[in-house]
Amino acid sequence: IENIQEKISLVKKDVEDLQTKQNLACLDLGQVLYSNYREAYADFFKPFHDEISELDKRLESLESQSEVLKSQIETQGFFGKLVNQVKLTSSTTSVNSAKKKKEGVFQKAGTSVVSSGKIDFIRSQENVEYSILSVLDNIERIKNDLAQVVEEQQILNEKEKSLKDELNEYFEYNFET
């Protein structure tokens, strides 16, 4: 049983690693679909595209504000520098927050595309960019690997349960009489 529990633990780690890889691949998918947006994708990607475009505008504004503050810090006196340094810290935090949010939308978009089964539709489009095809191939590879590992996990869980049941029967039979 210990050997099976060890294997279950290793397989569980493999599942977690593959899920992390899948999340990163979905992030990549969101990014390449955004960069190579087509009207053919509007049905399933437009809301994400619009949200990312808005975040890009906000990021551009925030980064511009940060640059202005940096240049002001260089030319001001001590107290002006101090005030603008606080503003710059706040602005930098806002920039980082907006970048994280944008990353989250990319991942959500890629995950949505995968879970809604749009991979084949994207592949069927004419002249699909290599960057998109490459990410789709990676996602499919990860999905296949994940399916195999999950199947292995189920088999090991069933073996563990079976062995525990056998042990319980053995102890009940040999020690109750």
Side-chain angles (χ1 to χ4, degrees):
I1 287 182
E2 285 179 25
N3 188 24
I4 288 179
Q5 288 174 333
E6 260 180 49
K7 286 180 183 178
I8 288 172
S9 178
L10 291 173
V11 167
K12 184 178 179 182
K13 184 174 178 351
D14 289 345
V15 168
E16 290 169 0
D17 290 346
L18 286 168
Q19 287 171 334
T20 299
K21 285 181 183 179
Q22 187 173 31
N23 289 340
L24 291 173
C26 286
L27 171 79
D28 291 344
L29 180 60
Q31 289 173 331
V32 296
L33 288 176
Y34 178 76
S35 298
N36 301 287
Y37 183 73
R38 299 177 177 195
E39 278 304 311
Y41 305 154
D43 186 37
F44 56 89
F45 198 77
K46 186 165 180 18
F48 298 111
H49 187 273
D50 292 347
E51 186 176 356
I52 293 164
S53 294
E54 284 300 313
L55 285 168
D56 274 343
K57 289 176 191 171
R58 183 167 173 243
L59 254 170
E60 196 174 302
S61 171
L62 289 169
E63 287 172 338
S64 175
Q65 288 174 359
S66 291
E67 289 304 314
V68 167
L69 288 169
K70 285 178 186 175
S71 67
Q72 287 176 350
I73 288 172
E74 292 174 10
T75 60
Q76 291 183 327
F78 177 75
F79 289 110
K81 283 183 180 184
L82 196 59
V83 169
N84 280 338
Q85 189 63 45
V86 171
K87 288 180 183 177
L88 180 60
T89 300
S90 174
S91 180
T92 301
T93 301
S94 296
V95 166
N96 290 338
S97 174
K99 285 180 179 179
K100 277 271 191 222
K101 183 170 184 173
K102 182 178 168 184
E103 196 174 278
V105 175
F106 278 137
Q107 183 178 353
K108 186 176 165 186
T111 301
S112 174
V113 168
V114 171
S115 66
S116 63
K118 298 297 184 186
I119 290 178
D120 290 335
F121 173 79
I122 294 169
R123 284 188 185 281
S124 73
Q125 300 299 301
E126 287 186 27
N127 301 319
V128 177
E129 291 76 5
Y130 176 78
S131 58
I132 294 174
L133 293 174
S134 176
V135 172
L136 293 177
D137 289 345
N138 188 35
I139 287 172
E140 288 185 338
R141 220 176 1 263
I142 292 168
K143 280 177 62 176
N144 289 337
D145 291 349
L146 190 56
Q148 288 176 347
V149 172
V150 166
E151 184 179 331
E152 183 181 351
Q153 186 180 37
Q154 289 171 341
I155 290 169
L156 288 170
N157 285 336
E158 289 170 10
K159 281 184 181 177
E160 181 187 38
K161 183 182 180 319
S162 174
L163 283 173
K164 284 181 178 178
D165 290 346
E166 284 181 37
L167 276 175
N168 285 337
E169 285 178 25
Y170 173 80
F171 284 115
E172 285 175 11
Y173 179 77
N174 287 315
F175 296 106
E176 283 188 6
T177 45

